[in-house]
Amino acid sequence: MIAFERFGKRFGAQVAVEALSLRVGTGEVFALLGPNGSGKTTSLKAAAGLIAPTSGAVLLGEPPRPAVDPAARDVCSFLPQKVSFPDALTGLEVVHFYARLRGAPRSRARDVLEFTALNGAGARAVGTYSGGMIQRLGLAVASIPGAAVLLLDEPTASLDPVGLQAFHVLVEQHRRDGRTVFFTSHQLDDVERLADRIAILVEGRLIATFTRTELTGQLADRGVMRLVLGRRPADLAERLTALAPRATLEGDELVVPGPASRRPGVIAGLQDLGVDIRSLTAEEGRLDAFYRELIGDPP
Amino acid sequence: MATPGRLATIGLFASQELTLAVRSRWTAIFAVVFAALALAVGGSGYILTGGLGLQDFARTASSLVQVVLLLVPLTALLIGVQALATERGAAELLFAQPVARGTVVVGKLLGLFQALAAAQAIGFGAAGLVIFSQAGQEGAGGFAVLVAGSLALTAIFLGLAAFIAAGNVGRRARALALALVTWFVAVVLFDIAALGVASLLRSGHASRLLVAAVLLNPVDAVRTGTLLGIEGDAAFGAASLAFFRIAGGRTWAASALLLSVAVWSVAPVALAIWRLRRADL
């Protein structure tokens, strides 16, 4: 549905994206993560046909066509990071305009305004809207065509709680309908909650991609169990090598990294060794910590 | 969902731009100022004739030429750039639609042209009505030539505004500054520079330079054409006179001027589309 084929983009001497190869399939909710300036927005804009590749290609739809071809963009709808509209138009006029542009029925305008909780403000000029309302209006416009591909650049960055809820509903609707959502974000909660697959860009290069299952596994591996021990055998440290090779013992505290599934076995093993466990805490791996680890940013 | 055809899409953009221009205070200010100046110029004939009556259409049109040459390019450039050099977020949303960039530009320009033509119609119409009621319809043809010249300048400078805006998406302040520089060069500096350089050359070269100046600068081309249409070569300056003599007659002069105006009306729009197609947004 979206294919980056060794996509590269330079702005003068600056390399924004280098040889990005990535496929986003039909019905996938795909998140693109990365620090500022990593090439996320450039890649998304290339998929929206706003940026022409310096090398490689970005293709949309079935059969695949270059995203810079206006006809290819029939299948997609794009919401920029900081959307804006003419102040003098009303919300309803804006939505009507884009509905007509996309060949959508007039009734669709009312539907999307209602969906983004702007139906009460539809008759007001956009110039009187708050920042959150403008972003919601952008979401309304992006959802007009019911496009097969939804491209969203940091959609939740400026959304108010009402808009955030509308965004989540929109993504879930697309997932249910088998349509594709490709979005960039710094909001790791949204990514973890919504994305079926995640790709991470650093300095214009793709450094990792994960499915939701793979990500869950990676986060589980980064879980930690902490036990405060009482009475224990003198050679516990040596015996731990067999029981939990990555565990470390510091004073009375035993730290056992690894997924939750392994923890009962470790606890049973410790009890078999005659260890007195006074207290136990466990925490799961967090996406933000994992993300920082991947991009080489220490916590 | 079937997207509309190219002509319908152009109409959609034109209609939205017309709505925006009608609601813009800048268009309203232009309409009021233009009407006030047209009426003032028309009314000044009453004073010049010692209170005996207004000057006819032809004389009023001659007096209005300078107002048109100063005000219309400035307004078309400023209102055009204001409308076309949109904020980045608006441009990104718009150009991500399944519509060719050229279609967007042409549609917006059509809407802006309609709005500015309507604003000018108020001024010309008010002045025309006053003159007709007082002095009859004599010389109305010259007045019509002035209206045509004004519309040509509107089209030309809207095209130049599109060209400036195409290279300055999301940089409206820069685009406005460039628009002002363009106006100053075309309306003020170009003639002074051409006459200054011509005064340093020998007669033959100077004449050729002045002829080129008339055809190369759209303001000079419209000025020469409009004055030619109103009262022949009687009110020509040095450059227009040199051009008229070398053209060898009214027909050839008018044809060359029309060609210049046609090229100036189309070329900036074509270049704006070409520039925008290549631009990363």
Side-chain angles (χ1 to χ4, degrees):
Chain A
M1 188 50 51
I2 309 172
F4 293 89
E5 295 183 348
R6 294 194 60 75
F7 163 64
K9 185 66 194 177
R10 285 173 178 272
F11 296 103
Q14 188 206 340
V15 178
V17 180
E18 197 170 348
L20 172 65
S21 291
L22 192 67
R23 280 182 184 275
V24 182
T26 304
E28 263 193 310
V29 178
F30 197 109
L32 199 53
L33 298 182
N36 288 333
S38 58
K40 304 186 300 291
T41 295
T42 301
S43 303
L44 200 76
K45 280 186 178 181
L50 294 169
I51 283 178
T54 311
S55 58
V58 182
L59 307 170
L60 278 178
E62 294 296 340
R65 282 192 288 188
V68 287
D69 175 1
R73 298 198 294 273
D74 257 334
V75 298
C76 81
S77 191
F78 172 66
L79 177 64
Q81 194 174 336
K82 286 181 185 164
V83 70
S84 64
F85 302 97
D87 284 351
L89 294 180
T90 66
L92 192 58
E93 284 172 330
V94 166
V95 175
H96 271 152
F97 171 76
Y98 281 99
R100 288 181 65 192
L101 198 60
R102 299 303 294 255
R106 210 172 161 78
S107 59
R108 182 82 181 132
R110 292 269 174 205
D111 292 346
V112 294
L113 282 180
E114 196 177 323
F115 163 68
T116 50
L118 281 172
N119 45 336
R124 272 169 50 195
V126 172
T128 67
Y129 281 22
S130 67
M133 289 169 81
I134 288 174
Q135 202 64 18
R136 267 191 275 154
L137 184 59
L139 205 55
V141 168
S143 60
I144 286 172
V149 179
L150 198 54
L151 303 168
L152 308 164
D153 192 8
E154 306 221 12
T156 57
S158 312
L159 279 177
D160 49 21
V162 182
L164 209 55
Q165 192 188 357
F167 166 70
H168 284 158
V169 170
L170 182 68
V171 173
E172 289 303 341
Q173 267 177 4
H174 268 64
R175 194 200 308 277
R176 271 202 308 275
D177 298 346
R179 286 177 283 172
T180 305
V181 180
F182 184 46
F183 71 105
T184 67
S185 186
H186 282 298
Q187 312 290 327
L188 297 177
D189 290 347
D190 293 333
V191 172
E192 201 171 359
R193 179 174 162 184
L194 297 170
D196 300 322
R197 260 203 312 156
I198 294 169
I200 296 168
L201 284 180
V202 176
E203 293 177 354
R205 292 182 183 186
L206 181 67
I207 60 160
T209 56
F210 300 102
T211 62
R212 186 190 282 268
T213 313
E214 287 166 345
L215 181 69
T216 307
Q218 291 284 350
L219 294 182
D221 278 349
R222 281 154 182 81
V224 170
M225 178 172 65
R226 294 174 193 277
L227 304 112
V228 177
L229 309 180
R231 177 177 48 79
R232 58 186 183 268
D235 61 346
L236 178 64
E238 288 84 54
R239 291 189 176 191
L240 274 175
T241 314
L243 189 63
R246 288 160 59 204
T248 53
L249 184 61
E250 289 172 11
D252 288 343
E253 189 182 53
L254 178 66
V255 179
V256 185
S261 57
R262 290 195 194 146
R263 288 172 199 157
V266 174
I267 292 168
L270 288 170
Q271 283 170 338
D272 289 347
L273 291 172
V275 175
D276 174 29
I277 300 171
R278 288 183 179 166
S279 68
L280 180 153
T281 56
E283 59 189 62
E284 301 312 316
R286 294 198 335 260
L287 182 57
D288 60 338
F290 178 46
Y291 170 67
R292 282 201 301 272
E293 180 189 321
L294 284 168
I295 65 170
D297 180 19
Chain B
M1 290 176 196
T3 49
R6 180 166 289 184
L7 277 180
T9 307
I10 287 175
L12 189 58
F13 277 101
S15 159
Q16 195 200 43
E17 212 53 51
L18 180 62
T19 305
L20 286 169
V22 166
R23 290 180 191 173
S24 160
R25 65 176 179 278
W26 296 110
T27 317
I29 289 170
F30 171 60
V32 169
V33 169
F34 194 76
L37 285 172
L39 281 170
V41 170
S44 68
Y46 186 77
I47 299 159
L48 292 172
T49 56
L52 296 174
L54 289 179
Q55 290 178 328
D56 65 13
F57 272 113
R59 285 191 183 281
T60 306
S62 298
S63 310
L64 270 173
V65 167
Q66 210 49 37
V67 172
V68 166
L69 294 176
L70 282 171
L71 201 59
V72 170
L74 181 65
T75 314
L77 278 168
L78 293 184
I79 290 180
V81 160
Q82 185 83 11
L84 299 166
T86 49
E87 287 175 42
R88 186 162 288 279
E92 286 173 356
L93 184 65
L94 206 56
F95 290 114
Q97 304 302 318
V99 177
R101 294 181 183 183
T103 304
V104 179
V105 172
V106 171
K108 280 175 165 267
L109 282 175
L110 269 178
L112 285 167
F113 181 79
Q114 287 171 346
L116 291 179
Q120 288 167 38
I122 295 171
F124 284 126
L129 278 175
V130 170
I131 297 161
F132 180 73
S133 66
Q134 299 289 314
Q137 62 178 16
E138 196 178 339
F143 197 76
V145 169
L146 175 67
V147 174
S150 183
L151 292 177
L153 278 178
T154 306
I156 290 166
F157 281 88
L158 279 177
L160 286 169
F163 179 69
I164 293 168
N168 292 283
V169 174
R171 294 181 293 184
R172 190 180 274 170
R174 188 170 184 269
L176 283 170
L178 282 171
L180 284 174
V181 170
T182 304
W183 174 81
F184 183 75
V185 169
V187 176
V188 181
L189 194 65
F190 188 88
D191 274 356
I192 296 170
L195 287 171
V197 173
S199 69
L200 302 173
L201 300 173
R202 285 192 302 178
S203 170
H205 294 304
S207 291
R208 277 192 286 278
L209 175 73
L210 291 175
V211 170
V214 167
L215 294 174
L216 288 177
N217 182 357
V219 177
D220 282 333
V222 170
R223 176 194 287 122
T224 306
T226 307
L227 289 175
L228 186 66
I230 295 170
E231 50 187 340
D233 61 355
F236 277 177
S240 299
L241 207 54
F243 164 76
F244 191 61
R245 281 180 187 152
I246 286 188
R250 201 182 171 96
T251 308
W252 285 108
S255 304
L257 291 169
L258 278 174
L259 183 66
S260 169
V261 166
V263 169
W264 272 108
S265 301
V266 174
V269 179
L271 286 171
I273 292 169
W274 174 78
R275 197 178 194 185
L276 200 57
R277 271 189 194 144
R278 292 163 50 93
D280 287 324
L281 301 173

